[in-house]
Amino acid sequence: MSNARYRSFVAVAQHGSLSAAARALGVSQPTISSQIATLERQSQIELFHRQGYRMSLTTAGLKLLSLAQKLLALESEAEFFLRDSGKLHQGELKIGAVGPFHVIEMVAAYRARHPGMQLSIRMGNSQQVLRDLENYSTDVAVLAGLYDRPELLAREYARHAIILFAHVEHPLAQSGVVDIRTLQGQSLLLREPGSTTRAAMEKALAAAGVKPQLNLEIGSREAIREAVARGLGVGAVSEAEFIPDPRFKPIRIKGDPASTTTYVYCMRERSDSLLVRSFRHAIEERE
């Protein structure tokens, strides 16, 4: 069966309509429609629910999606391996990441080693980044936190303490180091559930028997910074991701009871692939 049909199928699944998939692939909408119809007719399985122009995957479609993405990822890797004798003079490496700090230095190290390669970064929260990796939408992923799953292979890259930061006029800003018990009753601004920083802080607070006020949940680092700037509370962030600002004072927690660890992930079955190995070797050289 032609892989063009699988490409059309994946594009419709990702973009939610025939027209959007056609634009993404640079082909006509009738071509996409015909390829999807052929897939469904030959398999006698409905792959999409149709709701006007919108299309969403059926249960069978969801199962096919991961297989089709895997097939296309392997096809792409095989093509550029044959094209340049496996020397990585050209091709594309897709990286998933939850934040820019470490992934940018990794990209710089990789680009220095393989200047002809095209690189792309897909940002998202931990769940999104893992989903992209497992669906073969990305080749490697950079995440803070260890996810113990048999299908994943993780390599530790760096570890950083979680620090606090407060507006310069906040009482805690007068101290460079505070005991974690100082946070009792304080308004502490944390990311949404699922954030690695939040999970590490909550674990450290629970171990110390400390209960801050957690009455404001914020969905991005940038929003937390602005909330701190407006005096809404104290922020918590990985030391590596703190950005100096005249409005803020960084505050270390005595003994560094909370920390985050950055890991580089790949699918275990792809750990020996040319793309994954090239990324691993580039960051090992950087270290």
Side-chain angles (χ1 to χ4, degrees):
M1 185 178 291
S2 170
N3 282 354
R5 294 174 188 169
Y6 290 123
R7 276 190 285 273
S8 295
F9 167 74
V10 171
V12 174
Q14 291 175 336
H15 296 280
S17 72
L18 296 173
S19 58
R23 287 193 298 272
L25 295 180
V27 299
S28 69
Q29 183 172 325
T31 297
I32 298 288
S33 179
S34 174
Q35 289 171 338
I36 297 299
T38 300
L39 269 180
E40 292 186 317
R41 184 176 64 253
Q42 290 182 341
S43 63
Q44 297 185 342
I45 295 175
E46 184 181 31
L47 299 173
F48 291 97
H49 296 298
R50 275 79 168 174
Q51 300 165 319
Y53 293 110
R54 302 299 302 170
M55 299 176 68
S56 59
L57 288 168
T58 63
T59 301
L62 282 169
K63 292 180 179 178
L64 178 62
L65 179 61
S66 62
L67 295 172
Q69 288 174 317
K70 178 179 180 180
L71 174 66
L72 295 176
L74 293 175
E75 178 192 45
S76 176
E77 186 168 341
E79 283 180 354
F80 78 73
F81 176 82
L82 294 172
R83 187 168 56 236
D84 68 1
S85 302
K87 296 179 181 179
L88 295 172
H89 294 313
Q90 53 185 318
E92 182 182 11
L93 174 70
K94 294 170 286 187
I95 307 166
V98 293
F101 181 76
H102 283 306
V103 74
I104 297 302
E105 67 182 28
M106 293 177 189
V107 165
Y110 191 86
R111 177 60 57 80
R113 188 166 177 152
H114 303 291
M117 290 288 291
Q118 296 294 314
L119 301 173
S120 64
I121 303 173
R122 293 174 64 124
M123 306 293 286
N125 61 32
S126 298
Q127 289 81 5
Q128 292 168 332
V129 171
L130 284 172
R131 190 181 310 120
D132 284 341
L133 184 65
E134 292 169 340
N135 289 340
Y136 295 83
S137 296
T138 55
D139 302 301
V140 294
V142 182
L143 290 155
L146 184 61
Y147 297 85
D148 187 13
R149 301 182 188 177
E151 70 273 19
L152 298 176
L153 190 64
R155 179 186 183 278
E156 184 175 325
Y157 181 77
R159 182 173 296 181
H160 298 283
I162 293 175
I163 64 170
L164 307 173
F165 65 104
H167 190 274
V168 290
E169 296 180 359
H170 192 283
L172 290 186
Q174 310 312 310
S175 304
V177 181
V178 298
D179 191 281
I180 193 170
R181 289 171 292 186
T182 308
L183 292 175
Q184 178 70 33
Q186 290 282 345
S187 178
L188 183 62
L189 306 175
L190 294 176
R191 293 281 302 276
E192 74 283 359
S195 160
T196 305
T197 300
R198 174 173 178 154
M201 274 300 298
E202 288 181 332
K203 182 178 180 180
L205 290 165
V210 175
K211 295 183 178 181
Q213 293 183 33
L214 300 174
N215 50 15
L216 182 57
E217 186 179 289
I218 302 178
S220 73
R221 295 179 184 86
E222 294 75 16
I224 287 182
R225 286 172 60 82
E226 292 309 308
V228 171
R230 285 164 173 74
L232 296 179
V234 177
V237 67
S238 167
E239 184 179 23
E241 296 178 337
F242 175 73
I243 302 173
D245 187 302
R247 300 174 296 174
F248 307 136
K249 176 74 179 297
I251 308 161
R252 199 168 201 94
I253 305 172
K254 185 178 180 180
D256 296 332
S259 63
T260 60
T261 304
T262 299
Y263 293 88
V264 178
Y265 286 84
C266 70
M267 296 299 289
R268 187 175 296 276
E269 64 183 15
R270 295 192 68 197
S271 60
D272 289 329
S273 77
L274 178 63
L275 273 176
V276 172
R277 283 191 291 110
S278 70
F279 189 75
R280 185 172 64 244
H281 292 162
I283 63 174
E284 286 172 352
E285 185 178 82
R286 169 68 173 79
E287 294 173 336

